[in-house]
Amino acid sequence: MIYGIGIDVEETARFRRLVSHVAGLARVYGPAELAELQRRGRLDSYAANFCAKEAFSKALGTGVRGFSLNEAELLRDALGKPYFKLSGCALHIAQRDGLSFSVSVSHSREYAAAVVVAEKI
């Protein structure tokens, strides 16, 4: 059963300043996620991952409250399919409410977007 849906769109250029601040990156992106993003080195990837986090918070119905953005890491499997690796309070909320998440991201040079569906399991 669908619990919630979230969507977010961001301008890629907004992330140019964030990427230059290491402390800011650690507040937004988790360690495994940040390693992937730094390996790619593309602003559109940073923006897409941020969109996924915002969409995640909307699918929860809470906004970014009760968990930190870096606790919802967006990673990719061997085929490139995005998925969330949750930790800390984000994991606790998902487990408490019995939720699983599906995520889709897209980006161009100028924009990034993500959609997240939260389902009761």
Side-chain angles (χ1 to χ4, degrees):
M1 177 174 89
I2 292 179
Y3 178 85
I5 299 171
I7 186 170
D8 193 55
V9 177
E10 298 287 340
E11 290 183 57
T12 302
R14 289 185 53 212
F15 291 82
R16 192 171 319 282
R17 201 172 89 195
L18 174 65
V19 171
S20 67
H21 292 94
V22 176
L25 288 174
R27 284 193 305 271
V28 175
Y29 305 103
E33 179 180 35
L34 191 52
E36 257 188 32
L37 290 169
Q38 289 172 332
R39 183 180 50 76
R40 281 193 217 119
R42 296 175 39 178
L43 280 181
D44 54 354
S45 293
Y46 285 91
N49 280 37
F50 182 84
C51 285
K53 294 163 182 293
E54 286 288 316
F56 171 83
S57 74
K58 293 171 184 175
L60 279 179
T62 62
V64 184
R65 286 184 204 88
F67 71 96
S68 296
L69 288 176
N70 62 9
E71 296 175 345
E73 293 183 83
L74 186 71
L75 303 174
R76 275 93 176 156
D77 69 14
L79 297 175
K81 179 182 177 184
Y83 68 93
F84 284 110
K85 175 186 170 196
L86 303 178
S87 63
C89 293
L91 176 61
H92 172 74
I93 293 166
Q95 289 176 335
R96 179 196 69 202
D97 295 343
L99 301 175
S100 68
F101 300 90
S102 297
V103 58
S104 180
V105 296
S106 186
H107 50 78
S108 68
R109 252 186 336 154
E110 295 180 9
Y111 297 98
V115 174
V116 174
V117 177
E119 295 180 272
K120 277 276 198 191
I121 49 175

